[in-house]
Amino acid sequence: MVQPPSAFEVRLGADAEAIERMLETLLDPAPRPGEIARPRRLMEAMRYATLGGGKRLRPFLLVESARLFGAAGEGVLRAACALEMVHCYSLAHDDLPAMDDDAMRRGRPALHRAFDEAAAILAGDALLTYAFDVLADDATHPDPGARAALLLGLARAAGLGGMAGGQMLDLEAEGRYEAAGPLALDEPAVRRLQAMKTGALLSFAPEAGAILGGASAEDRATLLSYGKALGAAFQVADDILDVEASADALGKATGKDAARGKATLVGVLGLDEAKAERDRLAHAAVMALAGFGPEADTLREAARFTAERRS
Amino acid sequence: MVQPPSAFEVRLGADAEAIERMLETLLDPAPRPGEIARPRRLMEAMRYATLGGGKRLRPFLLVESARLFGAAGEGVLRAACALEMVHCYSLAHDDLPAMDDDAMRRGRPALHRAFDEAAAILAGDALLTYAFDVLADDATHPDPGARAALLLGLARAAGLGGMAGGQMLDLEAEGRYEAAGPLALDEPAVRRLQAMKTGALLSFAPEAGAILGGASAEDRATLLSYGKALGAAFQVADDILDVEASADALGKATGKDAARGKATLVGVLGLDEAKAERDRLAHAAVMALAGFGPEADTLREAARFTAERRS
């Protein structure tokens, strides 16, 4: 029996639609005033990597966190799309043959299969760069101080101490630079790796919403704590899904983590303890918002959704 | 007989040394406060791609343009290094096998040969991201408005309408997507391609110096005009060197443009007319600064140096 969507799922879907429309606007093939050109093939690759897929979890967290502090509208959606473009850039580069060598993504051929490697590298580069362009533009926020804070936060989340650094640690953990094979990372090392590779951007999303909403430093720190717990829960859930879900449900290959010797919390904790940890982390995310009333219920639901998702 | 260095060459060398020291500081392997980690292998690849080589022309133009408006010191050097890191990221990605497949760079193995393709992709990603991090930090400029302007300018120069877009046009012009081989681009198309691929960042360098120096909108536009002419002169000179220079002098392979069917101004104008055009463009850069006195002589010399360089 098909259940009707919950209020949370309706909100998630409505936000995803608004985000999709803004992505479509930002990735318009026609050059903006002052641009020499938007090369056709590059735009097609950027659009393929970005449009028509994904749960849009990061932009959703930004939009709902901004709403908690009374901010909504075009500027918030633009910032949300900047985060999503950084996420899509990282998928495009991580899927490359020299990296994780994944042929499928979101149920379709990965970008380098649908186009070629050069287009996947360049479209990733251009999406990453365009995210900073979108944030730096005063159409995103009239206050340059808020824009600079968003830009700094995104650069830290994406960079050598965040996503790019985490991906390098991940490749090293697989053992590709060791004759002896995969490294046996201990639990703190796996948590550190995941906090960089996926946690940094997921935890920045609610913080960015707080910045856009003009939240106090204290509230900003609260949203960051919420994001850190949610981001960690998301990654354990991901590790569990790689073991338990079908490739059909995920739209990408499963069982690859173990085959590659990837460092996962399922690997260091075992499946049962990993599930308990996932639920503890989701609960911690909910508890981080204890100072808020029912206006934070959507964010609380998002933490539960992250832990319970099946794809 | 070896000639003593000119005053200009002394200045170029002194600036390059200061830039090298700041790059060394920014790429310190030790994590900054608040960073989870700086993965060792990633830092080594980023340092290899960035340190100990290159003329440092872009950061030099930024530093000298800032000086023209009375700005100097750590913040200016940080911004200069951000531009150089974006330049080095683009070299690392352009050299990849899927792109231009260049094995040598600055007289050494290219990054993907010295490390591997994954490290070259990730180090490029991390350098690009780190450039925005450095610019967004208030250590670069206390005024968030100036920081936001620098960030927007750099994102536009590097992105889909700038370097990344120009590289895609360049790959297309080689004919890799055409059964009929290289495209026969006309002169305006070659100029457009080059204005994006190399011109955008070179012309942003003096404009960024003007922003850091708090220049008027008029002076900022003047420095941008200067940069556009210099950037175009640089690229024609590059096309000419690929035909005339030795691989030893350049530290990379020569004669490759023609072999690949790359779109160059030598190709559409012929060698003699390309040289005349190079000199015209360098002269136009000098003339753009006609409103300044001897305090702009270093920038004037930089335009001549760009046209006359032999490597």
Side-chain angles (χ1 to χ4, degrees), chain B residues 91-302:
Chain B
L91 299 179
H93 280 193
D94 287 357
D95 286 346
L96 285 166
M99 304 269 254
D100 296 342
D101 195 15
D102 277 310
M104 296 293 288
R105 170 68 63 184
R106 293 173 176 169
R108 301 184 301 181
L111 182 60
H112 67 276
R113 292 292 187 104
F115 289 74
D116 63 2
E117 281 183 53
I121 296 166
L122 277 175
D125 292 345
L127 283 169
L128 173 60
T129 311
Y130 195 38
F132 291 103
D133 182 331
V134 167
L135 286 187
D137 196 307
D138 57 13
T140 296
H141 201 289
D143 172 36
R147 295 209 301 281
L150 290 170
L151 286 154
L152 186 61
L154 184 62
R156 295 272 162 108
L160 59 115
M163 296 162 72
Q167 173 68 3
M168 177 58 90
L169 293 179
D170 211 12
L171 296 177
E172 288 185 325
E174 278 180 27
R176 65 167 71 190
Y177 306 115
E178 311 289 328
L183 307 180
L185 296 193
D186 60 8
E187 187 189 327
V190 173
R191 287 187 196 266
R192 204 158 52 232
L193 187 166
Q194 297 189 338
M196 291 167 70
K197 185 173 174 178
T198 53
L201 189 62
L202 276 165
S203 60
F204 177 60
E207 191 189 9
I211 293 169
L212 284 157
S216 68
E218 196 190 337
D219 281 345
R220 190 174 149 180
T222 297
L223 271 284
L224 179 62
S225 297
Y226 160 80
K228 282 186 176 174
L230 181 146
F234 176 93
Q235 188 55 53
V236 194
D238 218 55
D239 292 349
I240 294 167
L241 283 169
D242 185 71
V243 175
E244 292 200 326
S246 70
D248 261 12
L250 283 191
K252 61 182 180 183
T254 55
K256 293 183 76 173
D257 293 349
R260 278 183 188 150
K262 271 216 187 280
T264 75
L265 275 188
V266 174
V268 291
L269 298 177
L271 191 56
D272 289 347
E273 182 50 34
K275 286 180 180 176
E277 176 63 8
R278 173 195 64 191
D279 298 341
R280 269 195 295 270
L281 286 164
H283 184 67
V286 171
M287 293 313 295
L289 302 174
F292 293 95
E295 70 277 13
D297 276 351
T298 302
L299 292 177
R300 294 187 185 98
E301 281 296 321

Side-chain angles (χ1 to χ4, degrees), chain A residues 2-27:
Chain A
V2 178
Q3 294 209 332
S6 66
F8 172 79
E9 286 165 332
V10 170
R11 180 73 77 94
L12 185 64
D15 284 355
E17 252 179 64
I19 290 155
E20 191 79 17
R21 279 196 302 273
M22 180 57 78
L23 283 169
E24 180 70 59
T25 300
L26 291 170
L27 295 169

